[in-house]
Amino acid sequence: MSLVIAIDGPSGSGKSSASKGVARALGLRYLDTGAMYRAMTWWMLAQGVPVEDAAAVAARASEPLLVCGTDPDAPTIAVDGTDVSGPIRTREVTNAVSAVSAVPAVRERLVALQREIIGTGGIVVEGRDIGTVVAPGAPVKIFLTASEEARAQRRTRDLAADPGATVAVTQAEQARRDRLDSTRKASPLTRAQDAHEIDSTRLSLPEVIEAVVRLAKENTATG
Ligand code: DC
């Protein structure tokens, strides 16, 4: 397998910007697995599926067709031919995604699709369970963290167009999502034993990218 860089961590830790930057720097593809769980959630909401009802979600999990583009300069995600890059970032989807992503049938389907996209490698993959479940053999695994305050501030900047998203509200919603993502039965968010932990609280984006690129070079140089 050629290079796979797995980048896991909680929401707002800077995974997306760092992962895209690393992919650009090393000429690799980029896969945002969170966008896939969001797209599945968007579809369930659009279909009127009660997302807190795990059996109802599981019963429909095989229906939507997801297509992901892996260019780090223009990542795309489409459901049944509709581009959903914008709608999957709304707070409605964000607050429902933990329930949908805890359903084993959803995870089985998306993990299979993620492995298909990873294929023989040459890719940076970001998520919650990449180093532990999706690609446990990845030669480079990163666990990216940041303080709760720093993460809430970053998320609030991402949600600038939403007047309800103050730092306090975002921090509370984020804490709830982290708790659900870390305590669910199916592949909870945990650091892989062999992952390198990077705390980005006091690092700039270029510094995080540089640290990951350095680790990738070290790990691939030694085999
Ligand atoms: O990275 P993100 O915030 O866009 O992810 C959205 C949600 O998807 C997150 O709350 C948990 C879930 N997720 C997951 O369960 N497994 C992944 N590999 C990626 C995301």
Side-chain angles (χ1 to χ4, degrees), residues 6-141:
I7 303 191
D8 291 302
S11 55
S13 57
K15 290 191 305 292
S16 293
S17 310
S19 302
K20 281 186 247 183
V22 171
R24 269 186 218 115
L26 297 173
L28 302 172
R29 295 180 295 139
Y30 160 71
L31 180 63
D32 175 1
T33 62
M36 298 168 78
Y37 288 95
R38 286 171 178 273
M40 181 67 93
T41 304
W42 173 85
W43 182 87
M44 293 284 169
L45 292 169
Q47 296 289 313
V49 176
V51 294
E52 300 294 335
D53 179 344
V57 169
R60 308 281 309 268
S62 63
E63 289 183 40
L65 175 71
L66 267 59
V67 176
C68 311
T70 57
D71 176 351
D73 289 320
T76 57
I77 180 127
V79 181
D80 297 332
T82 302
D83 173 16
V84 292
S85 323
I88 62 168
R89 304 288 163 197
T90 58
R91 276 172 72 208
E92 190 195 5
V93 170
T94 301
N95 288 330
V97 68
S98 291
V100 172
S101 59
V103 176
V106 168
R107 304 203 70 81
E108 267 163 46
R109 173 141 193 256
L110 294 187
V111 168
L113 185 55
Q114 287 155 17
R115 289 184 178 148
E116 215 173 277
I117 296 169
I118 292 168
T120 54
I123 192 163
V124 180
V125 188
E126 67 153 290
R128 302 290 189 289
D129 60 343
I130 310 306
T132 50
V133 173
V134 177
V140 184
K141 297 182 188 178

Side-chain angles (χ1 to χ4, degrees), residues 139-193:
V140 184
K141 297 182 188 178
I142 309 293
F143 196 76
L144 195 59
T145 60
S147 71
E148 230 177 72
E149 296 75 20
R151 295 192 290 115
Q153 271 162 13
R154 288 176 194 160
R155 272 283 163 180
T156 311
R157 273 199 298 269
D158 292 346
L159 294 169
D162 185 336
T166 61
V167 176
V169 168
T170 310
Q171 190 164 334
E173 289 177 351
Q174 181 174 266
R176 171 183 166 273
R177 196 149 63 95
D178 286 347
R179 184 170 41 74
L180 293 171
D181 293 344
S182 311
T183 56
R184 69 178 176 223
K185 283 208 188 75
S187 351
L189 166 69
T190 47
R191 173 182 177 279
Q193 258 184 352

